Amino acid sequence: MEQYEPERLAPAQLAALRRSFAGGRAALTRRSLLRASAGGALAVGGLAALSGCGIPAAGKSQGGVLAEDHSAKEKTINFSNWTEYMDVDDSEKHHPTLDAFAERTGISVKYTEDINDNVEFFGKIKPQLAAGQDTGRDLIVVTDWLAARLIRFGWVQKLDASNLPHAYANLSDQFRSPDWDPGRAYSYPWTGISTVIAYNKKALDGVEVKSVSDLLDNPKLKGRVGFLSEMRDSVGMTLLDLGKDPAKFTDDDFDAAIARLQKAVDKGQIRRFTGNDYTSDITSGDFAACIAWAGDVVQLKADSPDVDFLIPDSGYLTSTDNLLIPNKARHKTNAERLMDYYYEPEPAAELAAYINYVCPVDGVQPYLAKIDEDAANNPLIIPDQAMAAKSHAFRSLSSKEETAYEEKFAKLTGA
């Protein structure tokens, strides 16, 4: 188990954090997708000031600490989530799936939308977790890189599989065993988040785009291509195009991907590296094609008939936002029951119809079709087998790798 110690960020990691806050995934809403993905940003602990607060290191004795479970007597759950990440009714005052859970089980849910980005939220909960104290939360949702770090620090509880029969049975294969939580012993996905190629049909004007190589090499697209300012997305998609697995790549593979992108920068093929502001570029036609987040594309397609997406034959990246139970949570069993509830097809369909993310629950499509047939047939929400087979995850990085890779990516992008 990794022991927590306050870390200092390298300049490139600080630059990655600033990019995420300014225009990347830390700055995005639910419909604009992902979260701050710079794993090094976590070392700030939600702004560097917290690293000097005298917080004790979490030793092995504090890992996966079980609190006394008060679930039987206290029929409640304290659930922290991102904004606009839960279904709401027309009045915007009630969450139908949560209300149905409470009616069925007698367990009330105190639902709080107090997560705006991973780094900031980590800053809220780190002091209590590092000190072995209750955070006041029974269930949280964080992105995979932060989930991985919390698990390594021993700051979340191992799940009781007997309370999760639907989750175990219905979890989609592509999400079953990430390298940071093999077999999902500590976490289950709330949603999946995909990185794809978006294009503007009018701006392409007949130019064929099928791959990342087309973006990087086709002279007809010179100066009209966008890549993301998030290292994992741009490098990961390039690694796939080079025939490398983002889950298993080496330093040499990473350097080859950087060189491939640098060549495109040097010849003016790539117009710029962007955060979520690429949405205006692809809609206006300033970008003919770009690397994009699928949740954005779902919305852009609804608003602009010229925007569409493709999945390269080489594959695409998928990350996850994940449910975890922090150490010392008072209502672990109740929280596990709620986790399991969202792996039943009907509530999973209701949730997917509202948030338009990749649903990680097998068997949900016919239930979703009753609510929204277009969503049920959208592979960006319900991937078919062929699409799921092309999904790849970017592997976990050590602190040393994070520093080195962000420095190289920052040099490439001019950040």
Side-chain angles (χ1 to χ4, degrees), residues 246-258:
K248 300 177 181 178
F249 68 89
T250 65
D251 288 347
D252 288 343
D253 296 334
F254 184 90
D255 289 344
I258 291 290

Side-chain angles (χ1 to χ4, degrees), residues 271-409:
R271 186 184 184 97
R272 65 191 182 103
F273 291 83
T274 73
N276 68 308
D277 49 328
Y278 72 82
T279 56
S280 59
D281 290 310
I282 196 69
T283 302
S284 68
D286 287 344
F287 284 167
C290 64
I291 303 299
W293 294 310
D296 287 337
V297 179
V298 172
Q299 298 305 311
L300 293 175
K301 279 171 58 67
D303 298 332
S304 174
D306 291 326
V307 175
D308 211 334
F309 78 99
L310 65 92
I311 302 297
D313 288 341
S314 58
Y316 68 102
L317 289 179
T318 299
S319 57
T320 50
D321 279 342
N322 307 275
L323 295 154
L324 301 102
I325 300 174
N327 281 357
K328 296 300 183 87
R330 287 179 62 89
H331 310 109
K332 180 175 184 285
T333 298
N334 290 346
E336 289 168 339
R337 292 183 67 183
L338 184 61
M339 292 173 70
D340 193 60
Y341 168 73
Y342 279 105
Y343 275 82
E344 296 179 25
E346 289 189 64
E350 291 184 57
L351 180 66
Y354 180 77
I355 66 175
N356 290 342
Y357 277 69
V358 177
C359 181
V361 182
D362 273 347
V364 77
Q365 189 168 25
Y367 297 89
L368 182 56
K370 295 177 182 179
I371 303 170
D372 185 338
E373 190 169 351
D374 289 340
N377 294 322
N378 189 333
L380 296 180
I381 299 174
I382 307 293
D384 57 26
Q385 287 186 346
M387 183 169 173
K390 293 183 178 182
S391 171
H392 298 267
F394 199 96
R395 69 171 174 82
S396 300
L397 300 178
S398 67
S399 295
K400 182 179 179 181
E401 288 176 323
E402 184 74 41
T403 299
Y405 292 169
E406 284 291 359
E407 285 178 350
K408 292 174 181 179
F409 189 69

